[in-house]
Amino acid sequence: MCKIIAIANQKGGVGKTTTAINLSSSLAYLNKKVLLIDMDPQGNCSRGMGVDISLISRNIYDVLLDRQDINKVIRKTMIKNLDLISPKLILANLDSAVNGKVNEPFYLLKNNLKKINKKYDYMIIDCPPSLGLLTINALCAANKVLIPVQCEYFALEAVAQILANISSIQNTYNQNLGIQGFLLTMYDSKTRLSVEIASQVRSLFKENTFLSMIPRNISIPESNAKGMPVTIYRPNSISSQAYISLAKELIDYEER
Ligand SMILES: Nc1ncnc2c1ncn2[C@@H]1O[C@H](COP(=O)(O)OP(=O)(O)OP(=O)(O)O)[C@@H](O)[C@H]1O
Ligand SMILES: [Mg+2]
């Protein structure tokens, strides 16, 4: 069965997009069929996969508004087993485009993903840093949420807020939504703050925190700038190894 995971945290710059790209490419490397869905109108996820959203026409916006078949907007990537769906800047206006015209505006993505879920083992959704219509669509379509937590100031405040948002979605639109886990990102063992945040998150959410941690490392911004996953750009880097270990942890959890 296809597993749909939304990568969400309303706090900006915590590593959502980096995680969406590199978890997807690591799962694909481990022979899983994966669809990466970029739901952020900024298009950073697509750019990180070498796709410039200002130069393409096939996009998720037209699918959500029922103007295009979802099968037609899926593009192959440089990685075997990994497909991508991209946004369009105008996706930011989805709210006003559907306002009053659509019966179930929160289920637009879910209803479309149903049509293609037999093709994939995993769908990974990169969410924007806010709880607007786009993130709500992602959380309604998903079985699980993966929450990147940056080992920095105010990390726990952001975690409290996302947990409140998830429980409000569970109580209203998607009772089946579960928490896949918290992922510690940009971990730097040399800074005391990083170590403290990591230990606080682990003690608060022991069962739900991935054992794999993503270290802060220059290979990540470099790979983003090159438009490729770090698993391809620097396959032997600690970043690449950390994301492959995360993907293995996820698969082991599914299959145990
Ligand atoms: N492990 C890491 N080591 C070093 N830099 C990182 C790491 N992870 C992410 N970054 C950098 O931090 C910045 C923010 O990362 P990213 O875009 O993945 O976060 P985001 O949560 O998706 O941001 P937004 O909320 O804007 O969508 C990027 O410049 C990225 O290259
Ligand atoms: Mg992002």
Side-chain angles (χ1 to χ4, degrees):
M1 210 186 79
C2 176
K3 179 97 186 274
I4 306 179
I5 302 174
I7 314 282
N9 187 337
Q10 70 295 323
K11 191 167 177 351
V14 298
K16 293 180 288 295
T17 298
T18 301
T19 298
I21 293 172
N22 291 296
L23 174 59
S24 298
S25 65
S26 301
L27 288 167
Y29 169 77
L30 297 169
N31 280 325
K32 299 293 177 187
K33 292 213 166 305
V34 187
L35 176 65
L36 173 58
I37 305 161
D38 183 357
M39 280 292 274
D40 186 343
Q42 297 178 97
N44 289 343
C45 183
S46 301
R47 217 165 283 124
M49 290 294 303
V51 172
D52 181 343
I53 62 163
S54 65
L55 303 176
I56 59 169
S57 56
R58 293 174 288 156
N59 66 83
I60 190 74
Y61 181 76
D62 291 335
V63 173
L64 298 178
L65 291 179
D66 222 7
R67 296 172 184 165
Q68 178 67 283
D69 178 349
I70 189 156
N71 287 288
K72 302 239 165 75
V73 303
I74 298 173
R75 65 181 62 238
K76 298 238 167 286
T77 68
M78 66 191 89
I79 294 175
K80 185 177 159 237
N81 293 331
L82 177 56
D83 292 347
L84 172 71
I85 294 184
S86 293
K88 187 173 173 178
L89 207 49
I90 198 174
L91 184 59
N93 301 345
L94 186 70
D95 251 308
S96 54
V98 299
N99 196 3
K101 297 176 201 133
V102 171
N103 277 338
E104 293 186 320
F106 299 141
Y107 299 109
L108 300 174
L109 183 64
K110 181 185 173 93
N111 293 337
N112 277 289
L113 295 186
K114 268 187 204 154
K115 301 174 192 165
I116 52 169
N117 62 13
K118 290 201 176 60
K119 290 191 194 175
Y120 298 100
D121 300 308
Y122 287 91
M123 294 186 189
I124 305 291
I125 312 173
D126 183 30
C127 295
S130 61
L131 189 75
L133 184 57
L134 296 169
T135 301
I136 297 179
N137 261 275
L139 295 178
C140 286
N143 317 113
K144 298 274 175 155
V145 201
L146 188 157
I147 305 157
V149 179
Q150 185 184 356
C151 298
E152 262 298 340
Y153 286 113
F154 306 122
L156 291 169
E157 286 80 350
V159 167
Q161 210 183 331
I162 183 95
L163 286 177
N165 292 340
I166 290 169
S167 100
S168 102
I169 297 279
Q170 286 164 333
N171 294 330
T172 48
Y173 309 118
N174 184 4
Q175 289 172 6
N176 299 323
L177 182 65
I179 293 180
Q180 185 78 60
F182 296 94
L183 174 68
L184 296 163
T185 61
M186 301 186 223
Y187 179 75
D188 182 350
S189 59
K190 290 194 284 306
T191 68
R192 205 191 314 157
L193 180 65
S194 211
V195 175
E196 256 170 41
I197 299 278
S199 99
Q200 282 177 7
V201 171
R202 284 202 188 283
S203 68
L204 281 171
F205 309 104
K206 194 167 186 296
E207 299 298 313
N208 272 332
T209 310
F210 287 104
L211 296 173
S212 315
M213 293 199 270
I214 311 303
R216 181 179 284 283
N217 188 265
I218 187 69
S219 60
I220 296 269
E222 280 178 6
S223 65
N224 287 344
K226 293 273 182 200
M228 55 178 88
V230 74
T231 51
I232 299 289
Y233 173 68
R234 287 275 184 267
N236 297 322
S237 63
I238 51 169
S239 317
S240 175
Q241 284 163 14
Y243 275 110
I244 287 176
S245 137
L246 172 68
K248 284 185 177 155
E249 204 178 329
L250 197 74
I251 294 170
D252 284 352
Y253 177 85
E254 278 332 296
E255 294 176 357
R256 79 182 170 196

